Amino acid sequence: KEPSGPTVKTAIPGPRSLQLLKELDAIQNTGAVQFFVDYERSRGNYIADVDGNILLDLYTQIASVPLGYNHPSFENAMKKPENLSAFINRPALGVYPPSDWVHRLKSSLLSVAPPGMTQVQTMACGACSVEHALKTMFMTYQRRVSGGSPPTEEEKETATINQPPGCPPLTILSFKNAFHGRTMGALACTHTKYLQKLYFPQPDWPIATFPRLKYPLEAHEAENKAEERSCLEEIRELIEKFDKRGTPVAGIIVEPIQGEGGDNFASAEFFQSLQDITEETGTGLLMDEVQTGCGVTGKFWAHEHWGLRRPPDLVTFSKKMMTGGFFMTEAFRPQELSILLGFRVFNTWMGDPAKVVLLEELVSVIKEQNLLNNVQTTGEYLISTIKTLQSHFPDLILNARGLGTYCAFDLPTAEARDKLLMALREKGVNIGAGGSCTLRFRPTLIFQKHHVDIFATICESSLKNM
Ligand SMILES: Cc1ncc(COP(=O)(O)O)c(CNc2csc(C(=O)O)c2)c1O
């Protein structure tokens, strides 16, 4: 059972956390560690640290905990005899899938597939999924260009030493302030903080501007439309420029709502026009739903809010989905000649059945408890609560925005944002920072209105002291 509210007994991190931090620091870099957690004592929306503090968790392991801590359905999944093998016999899924794999994929991932997407490939994490989705876009683009003919001897020889034509100078268009992961290909599409990229070599791929909308939206409609139009124009120009110089754009990667970059939104029309551009230019469209997926916006997939005229070509997922992976349309399914068919999108494990066991449970809980509806109602209450806070503290709370419980607001400076974040934590609320001066909500799917009230009370008292 969840606690009725937060309890704070010590500074956070407390003495036990600091002791453990010292011990861990002897083994690895601990620069990002916030505090140590007692996962056995954490319950639902509340995270327990090792010093007896219980915090209302609005960040939930970087937006990756769907049903809160120690949900009974996950515990039950562990006790089912038919699930034991998935936890102790880890298969190389690409070559030796287990007998129940088709059934598990159908009852988990395919039962929540984005409309119109019938193909799914599991992977390890978000970046791993993005890496292989990028490769799938390159393969599809090349197949269209070459008409599916087999590779020439020159392509085979040059491919193994990173040279064209075997390794063609194809590119991916991404957006400023985007985050897609920290492995080298995903990192090439990531443009949030310099620290994430410093001293890593990166390819010269096109980087477009993501719309910077002014809030409240209803008071800036014309300006925001103009901003989106100029962004779309820039995208067209970049594709043309890179095509002309012999480094064609094979695909576009975009988040339905930019997360790490500071919860940046764009309109449904923007995304519809973006998809039109990919159709006109023959480039792939990869919707990265690693952070926005699994119901947090009130629809299972955030891009479902954008009313696209056809499915995206690929959709990546991870975090709350328990497993990484990506959906794709039939057209983007690797169709190389049999010699190439396997081992192109490949690695040892290709995902983890133990995580898909948990995802099966998650999907049934979401359906049985109608959690998408919970996210919609709690989200509406959350955004109106943030707007009320904004009206009480107009100099401190800015740009209230959100979809479902995927909500955020800004403070005037990064310092003010950090100060409020620490003040909230000291009073028992764990929230996430994003962008340069954003605080973002990434609660569980079982987040309720009374949790919003607890946040609002603590936030109100923290703001009074700022
Ligand atoms: C839209 C989107 N796409 C891909 C990723 C990468 O997922 P992981 O590789 O971290 O599982 C993420 C991961 N999110 C994330 C938040 S903070 C963070 C970090 O590495 O600092 C990573 C994402 O938000």
Side-chain angles (χ1 to χ4, degrees):
K1 195 153 166 7
E2 262 194 6
S4 56
T7 312
V8 178
K9 296 177 179 164
T10 74
I12 299 172
R16 177 107 176 85
S17 256
L18 293 172
Q19 174 53 34
L20 287 168
L21 188 63
K22 214 160 122 237
E23 293 168 25
L24 183 61
D25 198 52
I27 302 167
Q28 60 186 226
N29 173 314
T30 56
V33 173
Q34 301 300 305
F35 53 82
F36 279 73
V37 178
D38 181 338
Y39 283 100
E40 287 68 28
R41 289 186 56 228
S42 300
R43 280 284 174 284
N45 290 281
Y46 288 87
I47 186 169
D49 77 0
V50 292
D51 289 286
N53 301 306
I54 310 269
L55 308 178
L56 174 62
D57 193 359
L58 304 180
Y59 195 42
T60 64
Q61 308 301 319
I62 321 183
S64 64
V65 180
L67 298 178
Y69 298 99
N70 293 300
H71 193 279
S73 71
F74 278 8
E75 284 180 35
N76 297 340
M78 299 294 290
K79 293 170 189 157
K80 288 179 185 170
E82 66 271 25
N83 290 337
L84 182 61
S85 174
F87 285 89
I88 57 174
N89 302 310
R90 187 167 185 183
L93 286 163
V95 281
Y96 307 109
S99 54
D100 59 2
W101 192 230
V102 175
H103 169 73
R104 287 199 191 281
L105 286 176
K106 283 182 174 174
S107 61
S108 60
L109 288 164
L110 287 180
S111 74
V112 292
M117 304 192 86
T118 60
Q119 303 291 301
V120 69
Q121 176 56 60
T122 51
M123 280 289 162
C125 65
C128 178
S129 308
V130 168
E131 292 293 341
H132 289 280
L134 294 177
K135 285 170 56 178
T136 302
M137 287 205 284
F138 289 134
M139 290 157 70
T140 306
Y141 185 89
Q142 201 58 30
R143 184 168 63 248
R144 285 182 181 158
V145 164
S146 68
S149 53
T152 65
E153 285 316 305
E154 187 195 15
E155 284 175 333
K156 291 180 195 170
E157 277 149 35
T158 50
T160 54
I161 50 170
N162 299 2
Q163 296 304 314
C167 294
L170 302 179
T171 66
I172 297 286
L173 184 144
S174 56
F175 289 89
K176 290 172 195 147
N177 296 315
F179 188 98
H180 297 292
R182 294 166 175 266
T183 46
M184 299 302 273
L187 189 64
C189 307
T190 293
H191 314 288
T192 37
K193 297 190 181 92
Y194 79 88
L195 264 181
Q196 294 160 349
K197 304 198 57 140
L198 198 61
Y199 306 141
F200 301 138
Q202 292 274 268
D204 176 15
W205 290 354
I207 306 168
T209 307
F210 193 83
R212 291 148 300 188
L213 303 187
K214 288 195 175 5
Y215 288 86
L217 297 177
E218 54 279 6
H220 296 89
E221 276 184 25
E223 215 171 332
N224 288 338
K225 266 214 174 328
E227 165 71 3
E228 293 189 340
R229 257 198 309 277
S230 88
C231 290
L232 290 161
E233 196 39 50
E234 184 192 21
I235 293 161
R236 286 180 193 283
E237 286 162 6
L238 280 169
I239 294 175
E240 203 175 319
K241 175 184 166 192
F242 275 72
D243 285 0
K244 279 210 178 89
R245 64 180 232 193
T247 57
V249 176
I252 294 178
I253 183 170
V254 69
E255 296 155 87
I257 305 164
Q258 288 191 323
E260 291 321 295
D263 282 40
N264 306 320
F265 288 77
S267 70
E269 292 72 29
F270 173 81
F271 285 100
Q272 290 160 16
S273 304
L274 179 65
Q275 185 171 52
D276 293 345
I277 292 174
T278 62
E279 258 169 336
E280 290 155 25
T281 57
T283 52
L285 179 60
L286 164 48
M287 204 55 85
D288 182 355
E289 293 252 21
V290 165
Q291 189 163 164
T292 52
C294 195
V296 293
T297 64
K299 288 182 183 288
F300 204 93
W301 301 103
H303 74 268
E304 292 181 76
H305 291 280
W306 306 145
L308 298 178
R309 282 180 273 278
R310 63 185 176 93
D313 299 309
L314 305 102
V315 172
T316 41
F317 56 83
S318 191
K319 288 184 188 280
K320 284 190 177 66
M321 290 296 284
M322 309 310 290
T323 171
F326 59 100
F327 293 99
M328 70 211 100
T329 56
E330 294 279 346
F332 274 72
R333 178 191 150 112
Q335 290 158 14
E336 265 66 4
L337 298 171
S338 57
I339 48 157
L340 292 175
L341 193 59
F343 299 104
R344 296 265 291 155
V345 170
F346 193 84
N347 55 45
T348 305
W349 286 324
M350 302 284 278
D352 181 353
K355 299 301 177 201
V356 173
V357 163
L358 296 178
L359 178 58
E360 283 178 297
E361 296 296 331
L362 169 59
V363 167
S364 15
V365 170
I366 288 172
K367 287 175 181 164
E368 283 153 25
Q369 296 181 14
N370 198 2
L371 292 185
L372 288 187
N373 184 53
N374 176 60
V375 170
Q376 289 156 20
T377 47
T378 309
E380 278 151 26
Y381 187 67
L382 175 58
I383 191 69
S384 72
T385 303
I386 299 171
K387 286 179 175 170
T388 306
L389 280 169
Q390 180 164 317
S391 67
H392 295 169
F393 301 89
D395 301 340
L396 285 170
I397 306 289
L398 313 166
N399 306 327
R401 56 195 183 279
L403 196 53
T405 58
Y406 200 94
C407 294
F409 60 86
D410 300 334
L411 281 98
T413 62
E415 294 70 31
R417 186 272 308 277
D418 295 345
K419 197 163 169 237
L420 180 57
L421 185 144
M422 293 315 285
L424 289 171
R425 182 186 286 177
E426 281 159 22
K427 293 188 173 71
V429 170
N430 190 44
I431 193 167
S436 54
C437 53
T438 302
L439 282 180
R440 56 176 158 160
F441 296 79
R442 295 294 183 273
T444 70
L445 302 176
I446 55 169
F447 189 55
Q448 311 279 322
K449 288 184 179 177
H450 69 270
H451 298 120
V452 177
D453 293 336
I454 292 170
F455 159 74
T457 310
I458 291 177
C459 191
E460 188 99 21
S461 75
S462 305
L463 288 163
K464 282 188 182 119
N465 302 329
M466 283 199 52

